[in-house]
Amino acid sequence: MPPFKDEQIIIIAPGSETTVAQLGLPESFTPARLRVRSRMFPAEKEGEWEPYKVRRRIDAVGKKSMAQEEVDEINDMKKTFGESEDDGIIYEEDPISEEGAVWPISEGRIVNWTCFFALMTHVYNTLNPPFHTPILLITQPAWTPREHEKLTQFFFEKFKTPAFSLLDAAIATSWAYGTHTSTVIDVGKGKVDVTAISEFLPHGTGRVIALPGCGGEAMTQRLLTLLRSKGFTREMCEQLKKNPICEILPVGTALPGTADASAQDAITNPAAAASTGATASGPGHRETAAALGIAPRGPGPDTDVGDEANGDDDNEGVLDVASIVAGGKMNEYLARKDKEKQDKAAAKKKGTDAASAQSRPARLPNSKRERATFMYEDHLLLDTLKGMNLSSKGMADAQAALDEGPQRKNQDAEQGDSIVEQRLAIEPNGTIDSAFTSAHTGPIRREIEVGIERFQAGSGGILERIADAIYRTISAIEEVNKRSELWDSLIICGNGSKIRGFKDALMSTLQTKYLISPSSATIFTSELPSNMSTPAGTGTNTPQPQLAPHGTSSSQVNPLLLAATTAQNPYLLPPGGTALPSMHSHNAHSSHGQTPTSIKIAKPPEYFPEWKDVGYDEAAFLGAQVAAKVIFIVDQGLNKGYMTRPDYNDQGPTGIHYYSL
Amino acid sequence: MNIPNASTVPNPNEYAGDEVSAIVLDPGYSTTRAGFAGEDVPKSVIPTYYGVLDSESGSEYLFGENAIHNPLRNLEIKNPWSTDGIVENWETATRVWEYAITSRLTGAKQTDPIKNGLNDPLNGDPDVEMEGLDDAEKPLTDSPLLMTEPGWSSTKAREKYIEIAMEDWGTPAFYLGKTGVLAAFAAGKASGIVIDIGASMTSVTPVIDGMVLKKGVQKSPLAGNFVSNQIRLIFNQSQPQIPLTPHYVVSSKTPVDAGVPSQAIYKTFEIPPTASFRRNEEERVLTEFKESVVETWAGPGRFSNGTNEELAKATPGRPFEMPDGWNQVFGVERFKAVEGLFDASAALFDAENPRPKDEQTIPRLVQAAMQHVDVDQRPAILAHVIVTGGSSLLYKFNERLNSELQAMFPAPRIRLIAPGNVVERKYGAWIGGSILASLGSFHQLWISKKEYEEHGPSIVEKRCK
């Protein structure tokens, strides 16, 4: 077998929400090129799956329920698209809709195997690899050895891959960071995995696998619980969560002052208005439709999504909800909206007057502001519009009328722009939403205001449960002496951890709950120089005597010297500038056998410029790139880093357990 | 491509056994261990404690580490074992064990998509569902199963084991091994005396040529949980009382002076979690206390003989901080928690925790076990004193045990075999089972499904001695 080359390697990282993949290793590692949402749609035939929603309609039925001019329009369209008129059944792919989608991975576990395999096939075909491509699959910790065998069998037999290897997501992350001992906290959509890794080997016992109810979805749900009374939908909360105005503040940070009642009354609630006007008139709020918010993220030049997205608006036809938004109701809504806008403008004027009267400083940071607004991309509304059989012009007009995006941008350049910019900055793959390039094909945007609820996504015990899981994982490590090293290099990754302030808040939760401070009872007073103040008792400015873990021998080193040389690392300070009690001093040399005496976040790697820009939330993919390079290119199978086809033929799927680094 | 060299793993075909992919299940009081035969660590170690959530719609059972540490109202934490080392609640024990196997070894059942709420049930593939149901009924249809049992389990219990494996799990082959023998195998010995200090039970098992000397098996409740209770007594009896606060009640802590009441911010619960939940969480703090503070008096002689206590006072104390920030240095007290294992008169006691009997202490157990061993076999046995079990990891425990045994059996040479590797010490019986089940020559010992169907559960008495 000829050696593998960089450009032949496929890496696939399946996730509950997004599956990322890439063909070929670039010179300098970049974030994954292909991103697909991890869902498939059941096809006509039982057990088969389609990557996009396929709508099947019998045209004749549609005709009856339609007004004549609409039918004409459809016919026009059909002519344009070269469809034969007498074909009774129309199939059409809707690349954005997620109605009826099946998500094969849930909480990190594969719950629907045929669907999962179909997803893998779709990813593989989208990458369109040449022959002789080895595959590296990133596995979730929740997958069991038996499931690994099942996957091995599938990949060898379906794709005839010449070589295949599995890599645990947590190990991949530690490869990315290049730290041999670390604690990887992977915050996903529906779950959190906590893995203690020493010498690049994960500790199986005590590993917290798929802790439910702590991922990104849990935070969305938390926001929804808080905001439901204000007319928010899950989709709004999902977008709010991804917006930089949504932030988790470190433990003990006071929320910006409570709103005075009068202000609250005066503020119109566009969210509520919208949901009574158009949004709620859709066919109920489907769970699946909610996830639409980030749908356009996928399309790129190298996917087939991009091509279809454009023709879609004109083509999209007769979903049978037309009667609801059609007719006078939309105009009513628009009229009301207009009035609202004027009111608001007036209110805003007053507001700015008041503001300037107060002559407040330039701009408050988000965490100090009581209220903030964000752009909500209303896909549901767009779907409804699509369903109204509007001509392309009518569609564009309606969209333009409903879309608050561009106008708002002009009106409120300061805020809107900054949000857009920030938004772009946090987009993980740098693909700009089509919405910003062409206003009329993209989703309809509306501005929504939220109060202090936006700081409470992590409330309700989510952070504490994650913190407890970390504590449990590290406490389960048998080698007691390794624990403090594990506490000193935490890696918080996963797209669920992207929410602003999450990592800092988690760190401050850990620090306030678990950090062991030096005991004042062991203060070593006899060697204190006279110019030092008497020990205050908290041990903050007093050096500690150094005792070996079991107190059998005290250190030979002068404790003062020791304390002086191991002065507090400023990195230890809780991030976010919160004034926590100064309890971290000197605990790097505490006499405690207990851990943690210090908690630190591992330093991310710096030599991958492309990754540095987008952040290391998907570090597992970077690690997989490093690993793929090592096992397929450098090592070439000498250390049995991967299973080859002959190996598979010899040993069958169970052999996979012998091939890993 | 794979040129074998000294460092490559031997081809699985070259040594027998691994193709069978047997599963080894080692149920214990505190944790249940499960993994594949031939591996050196159990892949699945789950708490045997489970949660029961009572609601109007019936009780929900929660298994696994992730589920039992949530301070939910009404969450009761229970254990299927009775405190004297016998399975009490077979139904839930079966479910706990099954969870240990399916959660991390064979895979979850396929019925999940309906419940997870993400997938529309309409789209479920009926074929998959059917397969799932089959799996759900018989989780182990393609793996032989080796289970461990304590040396004192009754015939009835042994028959129950094989019934569960064959009927409930559908395993194609089964074997039942005694923890004592397996721990000896893990240490590479066929004869010896195994001292297993677990969570609820300490047992002493003489093993001769791979067979348990059944009448010599001794057990006593002086084990890990006893040490925990001793620590609780130390906390309660000290002046002022030491508050034992589990993590879940603390919202954030502030450093305070040693011995000063804590200034933590506590959580408020509308309905506080149950007492059993609190106790289980307190146990985690006590485990930490055992790891970082508790020390065994290494000997020679007992701790309470007067001079030793004075000596101990001279050693520096060890600080401990509670989850709420309360901290103190523990001096002589830290020796007292374990002393009861060796010296019943030194054990603390109160109304709920009666003073242990003299014959329950570890040295006396060894003595009693040796009484049943033929005199000419004693030297061979005493040359392999195998120490295993998680509670034997108490600091300096082995030094003390050694000195006690030396004093008791001065004539034949005593050699303590206690692996320094923590994993090997904790999972001794499991590792022995893993070795045994992966041996090619072991194949003939399996009880096959056919044999079971022919002879019924009583076959276990004949085949697994």
Side-chain angles (χ1 to χ4, degrees), chain A residues 34 50 110 320 343 359 400 402 432 441 525 544:
Chain A
L34 175 69
E50 296 286 345
I110 301 172
D320 211 21
D343 288 354
S359 72
L402 287 165
I432 296 167
T441 52
T525 45
Q544 296 301 302

Side-chain angles (χ1 to χ4, degrees), chain B residues 212-233:
Chain B
V212 169
L213 190 66
K214 218 170 173 186
K215 57 184 191 296
V217 176
Q218 305 291 321
K219 61 166 181 168
S220 104
L222 301 192
N225 292 349
F226 168 79
V227 177
S228 296
N229 289 340
Q230 291 283 301
I231 300 170
R232 284 175 195 267
L233 287 172

Side-chain angles (χ1 to χ4, degrees), chain B residues 67-379:
Chain B
I68 62 170
H69 297 302
N70 260 345
L72 304 170
R73 61 174 73 171
N74 298 337
L75 178 64
E76 291 278 357
I77 303 296
K78 295 184 178 174
N79 196 306
W81 293 77
S82 75
T83 42
D84 51 356
I86 295 165
V87 178
E88 207 170 41
N89 186 339
W90 283 97
E91 198 188 320
T92 35
T94 311
R95 291 177 67 182
V96 171
W97 300 338
E98 191 179 318
Y99 177 83
I101 293 170
T102 53
S103 66
R104 295 208 182 173
L105 303 179
T106 57
K109 295 164 196 168
Q110 285 281 323
T111 43
D112 277 350
I114 297 176
K115 289 185 192 164
N116 65 22
L118 273 174
N119 298 321
D120 189 348
L122 287 175
N123 299 313
D125 180 356
D127 291 340
V128 174
E129 307 288 337
M130 288 313 292
E131 267 177 44
L133 285 176
D134 283 344
D135 280 351
E137 277 164 17
K138 303 278 163 77
L140 264 178
T141 39
D142 51 358
S143 314
L145 176 71
L146 187 147
M147 258 183 103
T148 70
E149 52 157 359
W152 54 85
S153 62
S154 63
T155 308
K156 222 175 143 194
R158 308 184 74 200
E159 292 182 357
K160 188 82 189 164
Y161 281 119
I162 193 169
E163 264 179 50
I164 291 168
M166 291 287 179
E167 312 273 349
D168 294 1
W169 297 341
T171 181
F174 180 77
Y175 189 78
L176 197 57
K178 288 206 161 33
T179 48
V181 182
L182 296 176
F185 282 166
K189 309 289 174 212
S191 300
I193 185 161
V194 178
I195 304 177
D196 181 351
I197 304 106
S200 78
M201 279 285 150
T202 289
S203 69
V204 175
T205 317
V207 179
I208 297 161
D209 297 328
M211 303 290 272
V212 169
L213 190 66
K214 218 170 173 186
K215 57 184 191 296
V217 176
Q218 305 291 321
K219 61 166 181 168
S220 104
L222 301 192
N225 292 349
F226 168 79
V227 177
S228 296
N229 289 340
Q230 291 283 301
I231 300 170
R232 284 175 195 267
L233 287 172
I234 292 175
F235 286 177
N236 284 337
Q237 291 173 5
S238 83
Q239 290 298 331
Q241 218 178 58
I242 295 168
L244 177 56
T245 329
H247 275 291
Y248 77 92
V249 300
V250 180
S251 146
S252 70
K253 64 180 180 184
T254 324
V256 290
D257 274 353
V260 170
S262 65
Q263 294 169 8
I265 301 162
Y266 292 95
K267 283 221 184 95
T268 48
F269 295 95
E270 276 176 45
I271 302 171
T274 59
S276 63
F277 178 84
R278 187 182 169 108
R279 195 170 172 93
N280 190 40
E281 293 300 299
E282 283 175 353
E283 210 59 39
R284 287 171 65 191
V285 180
L286 293 180
T287 303
E288 196 175 348
F289 188 80
K290 285 190 219 172
E291 280 173 352
S292 53
V293 177
V294 169
E295 189 171 339
T296 317
W297 175 249
R302 293 184 162 176
F303 180 63
S304 52
N305 72 355
T307 49
N308 282 341
E309 205 157 340
E310 290 307 311
L311 278 172
K313 271 188 187 143
T315 60
R318 304 187 40 69
F320 185 80
E321 183 175 314
M322 288 285 174
D324 62 356
W326 182 96
N327 67 94
Q328 184 57 281
V329 169
F330 289 85
V332 190
E333 309 94 301
R334 72 180 191 274
F335 292 97
K336 288 183 178 158
V338 200
E339 192 60 21
L341 295 182
F342 298 97
D343 178 5
S345 63
L348 301 164
F349 56 92
D350 64 2
E352 283 165 46
N353 303 285
R355 182 182 170 279
K357 297 186 188 76
D358 278 330
E359 58 271 24
Q360 286 178 327
T361 58
I362 294 171
R364 294 287 291 273
L365 288 181
V366 177
Q367 197 176 33
M370 290 310 290
Q371 293 295 327
H372 294 279
V373 179
D374 277 356
V375 178
D376 48 341
Q377 278 178 319
R378 283 187 194 167

